[in-house]
Amino acid sequence: MSENSVQRTNVIGAGEVGVAVTVDMDTNDIHKTNSLFWDTKGAELLGETCLPKYGAFVSEEKCQLFGDVRGKKLLEIGCGGGHSLQYLGDRGASELWGMDISENQIEKTRQYLGERGYPANLICSPMEEKCGLPEDYFDFVYSVYAIGWTTDLEGTFRQIASYLKKDGAFIFSWSHPIHKCVAAEDGSLVFKKCYFDESWYSVSLGDHTLTLSDRKMSTYVNSLSKAGFVIEQMVEESDEDLMISHNGDFAKKARMLPVTFVIKARKI
């Protein structure tokens, strides 16, 4: 293992193991690496997180962040296989829109929603870029475990603000920053990474590679503020009801520290 390599037990989500190598921040290279990852084995390797779950041990059914979506126009950033869009369509949303960096995921969404009778407007694009989405149009923009893939957090939040109507809501979830720093070892929780390290790294999972950066919570909060949002609610507590059926180190860890966070912010 080279000097700029480190074993990471918390790549994303529940704790995939991989060797992380520090890389230069090159937007084009990162987009190419991550779109290929999701075009091929990404969903199989990391699984798919979708509503009503926001991530490990946090659910919309408990949090009720959306409220009544009947007649509302919704856009999902990182729409994956389309399951979250279906969940909201089943609850009466009037328009379903989705964006994803992966052509493969877009086609999965199109097929999945089409089979269930839901028309959807789907766009393949990095979330950081202008891509022809209507502005001042949506009641909700949301993202379930996708925002962390952006190469430009503040720029992405500005784009999202432009899509929302005034007073529209932005809801997103991601792996909690402190979770990415702490690993379970021999019955104890051990810090394995500096919380303040926001450098970019690549991780190989089998024959496939992804590239990420672990951002501090303050980075998310300050970027939202700069983009014109006010935070209404933040969830970082693990739902005890969801942990009852889970055993092992991950559930034990979730009882000690947050593994998922969700933020609901309002465009002002």
Side-chain angles (χ1 to χ4, degrees), residues 106-253:
I106 288 290
E107 288 309 310
K108 283 183 179 180
T109 299
R110 195 183 310 281
Q111 180 177 348
Y112 182 82
L113 293 178
E115 290 172 350
R116 287 152 182 81
Y118 287 118
N121 299 282
L122 304 174
I123 295 175
C124 185
S125 172
M127 66 183 81
E128 305 90 331
E129 298 178 2
K130 286 187 176 294
C131 58
L133 282 164
E135 298 188 353
D136 302 311
Y137 187 77
F138 296 98
D139 301 289
F140 291 92
V141 177
Y142 71 95
S143 180
V144 180
Y145 258 67
I147 284 295
W149 295 89
T150 182
T151 59
D152 178 5
L153 189 67
E154 188 176 329
T156 295
F157 286 167
R158 285 197 302 269
Q159 292 287 1
I160 289 169
S162 74
Y163 306 144
L164 281 165
K165 299 175 181 176
K166 187 178 184 300
D167 296 325
F170 173 38
I171 301 169
F172 72 97
S173 67
W174 187 245
S175 187
H176 198 288
I178 201 68
H179 162 50
K180 305 290 283 294
C181 299
V182 178
E185 289 187 358
D186 301 323
S188 299
L189 296 180
V190 181
F191 265 87
K192 304 291 285 186
K193 172 188 174 293
C194 175
Y195 175 82
F196 302 105
D197 179 8
E198 294 186 305
S199 60
W200 284 87
Y201 59 91
S202 285
V203 175
S204 295
L205 299 178
D207 296 329
H208 304 274
T209 301
L210 58 86
T211 304
L212 286 170
S213 170
D214 298 332
R215 299 176 174 95
K216 305 186 299 292
M217 189 60 71
S218 59
T219 301
Y220 290 103
V221 171
N222 293 333
S223 295
L224 282 168
S225 178
K226 290 177 183 177
F229 287 101
V230 59
I231 294 174
E232 286 193 348
Q233 189 170 350
M234 177 175 169
V235 179
E236 56 179 359
E237 295 84 8
S238 297
D239 185 339
E240 186 64 37
D241 292 339
L242 295 176
M243 289 191 291
I244 289 174
S245 60
H246 291 76
N247 297 313
D249 287 340
F250 188 48
K252 291 177 182 177
K253 181 180 181 181

Side-chain angles (χ1 to χ4, degrees), residues 256-268:
M256 297 294 292
L257 56 83
V259 295
T260 297
F261 78 94
V262 190
I263 288 178
K264 179 178 182 179
R266 185 80 56 183
K267 177 182 175 179
I268 55 176

